[in-house]
Amino acid sequence: MFLFLLFVTPFVFAENNYFRLVIHGGAGDITEQNISEELKKEHEKKLTEALQAGYTILSQGGDSIDAVQAAVMVMEDSPLYNAGKGASLTVDNKVELDASIMDGRDHKAGAVAGVSHIRNPIMAAYKVMTKSPYVMMGGIGAEEFAQAEGLDIVEPSYFIIESRTEQLKKVKEISQKVEQEKGVNAALYQDPLMYDYKYGTVGAVAVDIRGNLAAATSTGGTTNKHYGRIGDSPIIGAGTYADNNTIAISTTGLGEAFIRTVAAYDVAAQIKYRQTPLAEAAKNTLNSVQEMGGAGGMIAVDNKGNFIMQFNTKGMFRGTIGQDGVPQVAIYGL
Ligand code: ASP
């Protein structure tokens, strides 16, 4: 009987009858007053498209690591989000992109930071994870590596859209006031929510039918950031984390606060060491982020398919899909 169980059990339980994908498109001051009905519909459509890209993979028995990448790429290619095309601009009118990805099966991870020519930074992060001995690469080195790996390289102008140029102009006006009033360099005195009503970073987490977890995050960072500034999104443990025994998680918000609280890992650690329920762990970490003067949100999933989409801002672009294939998307707070 024992032998029978020993050989049969792994086979019987090798596949779950469930899987789940959860995505976000950034948190912030997202309210009905700030978003037109038309823009809301565009977001709902794009979030659904991102969910479907991941669902196609997961429903065919594909890996969560591929599903999160596919979902993030849809949002990187959309000018609606602050990642890839349409990313927010630096103080000197440029785009500097950060991204990371992590595989919960073996804790392998990859990240790129401060890149300006890679069309899909999340693919570059994946290549760092799978084709290099490193976890993180930055700047020109990362770009040359991505090119050698056959990824699409584009002119920086590909990423820049008019509304971001307008946004930067407005932010600079506010910055000048801050500089006059507070006597500080506004590009260093960062509170993006003061300048913009949303962050717009994108992320995805998933559990596949084998119970494997994965997480991915991609961003242009904060508007008017000093060139060279790197946020939490490419930092494993702050913006992204995945571990099959606890959770896969992706965060969005004021990066400095998420780095200082080691936010993504902080949620996982509460579950690992204290068996804290996921929603409670996320709340605790968001409270710590707030204590550091930050705001934002996070999505996470565990290997049972339990998930959260939590934020301490007014709203967060978000969505989820499971084995029933019905996409659910939301924008405002509850
Ligand atoms: N966390 C990102 C950063 O600080 C910004 C965002 O979430 O939109 O770079």
Side-chain angles (χ1 to χ4, degrees):
M1 179 62 186
F2 176 70
L3 269 182
F4 173 77
L5 268 181
L6 195 70
F7 290 115
V8 170
T9 303
F11 177 73
V12 171
F13 293 106
E15 292 192 352
N16 302 316
N17 57 359
Y18 60 82
F19 57 82
R20 173 131 324 255
L21 171 69
V22 189
I23 61 170
H24 71 77
D29 203 1
I30 301 161
T31 61
E32 273 178 276
Q33 291 74 43
N34 285 336
I35 308 260
S36 69
E37 196 50 33
E38 199 190 335
L39 189 58
K40 181 183 169 225
K41 287 211 173 95
E42 279 181 46
H43 273 288
E44 286 170 347
K45 203 168 146 213
K46 195 48 77 176
L47 291 170
T48 303
E49 200 186 303
L51 287 171
Q52 272 155 353
Y55 175 82
T56 303
I57 293 168
L58 293 171
S59 61
Q60 290 171 8
D63 290 328
S64 52
I65 195 76
D66 296 325
V68 293
Q69 204 187 158
V72 164
M73 275 172 62
V74 168
M75 294 184 280
E76 281 183 340
D77 287 341
S78 164
L80 288 174
Y81 303 97
N82 173 17
K85 190 171 185 65
S88 60
L89 300 176
T90 61
V91 69
D92 58 344
N93 275 302
K94 297 204 172 98
V95 163
E96 290 185 356
L97 308 166
D98 303 331
S100 66
I101 191 161
M102 187 162 183
D103 192 328
R105 285 177 290 203
D106 47 15
H107 291 189
K108 278 196 178 146
V112 291
V115 295
S116 309
H117 294 86
I118 304 170
R119 177 176 158 170
N120 291 107
I122 200 64
M123 285 181 85
Y126 181 79
K127 290 285 187 188
V128 171
M129 176 174 80
T130 53
K131 296 289 170 66
S132 89
Y134 313 126
V135 168
M136 188 189 277
M137 293 179 78
I140 295 169
E143 293 182 342
E144 287 183 2
F145 169 76
Q147 187 165 23
E149 285 298 326
L151 298 191
D152 267 8
I153 299 298
V154 292
E155 284 303 315
S157 58
Y158 159 81
F159 299 107
I160 299 175
I161 59 168
E162 209 185 307
S163 57
R164 290 291 184 191
T165 307
E166 284 303 309
Q167 180 190 47
L168 183 65
K169 230 188 259 168
K170 268 192 220 144
V171 168
K172 282 193 186 223
E173 280 165 22
I174 301 171
S175 298
Q176 267 168 9
K177 266 195 214 148
V178 171
E179 287 187 357
Q180 279 159 9
E181 282 164 21
K182 297 194 190 267
V184 292
N185 178 346
L188 300 176
Y189 173 85
Q190 276 275 6
D191 178 2
L193 265 190
M194 189 174 74
Y195 303 138
D196 186 12
Y197 65 86
K198 67 180 176 62
Y199 291 105
T201 286
V202 307
V205 296
V207 55
D208 61 31
I209 56 167
R210 284 166 294 284
N212 293 322
L213 301 179
T217 312
S218 182
T219 191
T222 49
T223 304
N224 201 36
K225 69 183 179 185
H226 196 285
Y227 46 88
R229 177 265 187 191
I230 292 167
D232 59 323
S233 307
I235 297 179
I236 298 302
T240 303
Y241 188 71
D243 160 38
N244 268 10
N245 294 319
T246 53
I247 51 165
I249 177 165
S250 168
T251 71
T252 176
L254 182 61
E256 283 67 19
F258 283 79
I259 294 172
R260 289 162 65 214
T261 51
V262 202
Y265 186 70
D266 191 58
V267 180
Q270 291 175 66
I271 297 165
K272 181 174 176 180
Y273 297 115
R274 274 209 322 233
Q275 293 79 47
T276 309
L278 174 55
E280 193 185 322
K283 193 165 175 251
N284 291 338
T285 302
L286 282 171
N287 286 344
S288 304
V289 165
Q290 201 161 8
E291 278 163 26
M292 303 257 173
M298 48 180 60
I299 53 168
V301 67
D302 70 14
N303 60 17
K304 304 271 182 305
N306 301 309
F307 67 98
I308 55 109
M309 305 186 277
Q310 272 172 235
F311 44 95
N312 60 11
T313 48
K314 288 189 182 145
M316 179 166 80
F317 299 113
R318 60 198 187 277
T320 184
I321 195 163
Q323 65 279 6
D324 63 5
V326 181
Q328 288 171 276
V329 297
I331 290 178
Y332 308 125
L334 300 173

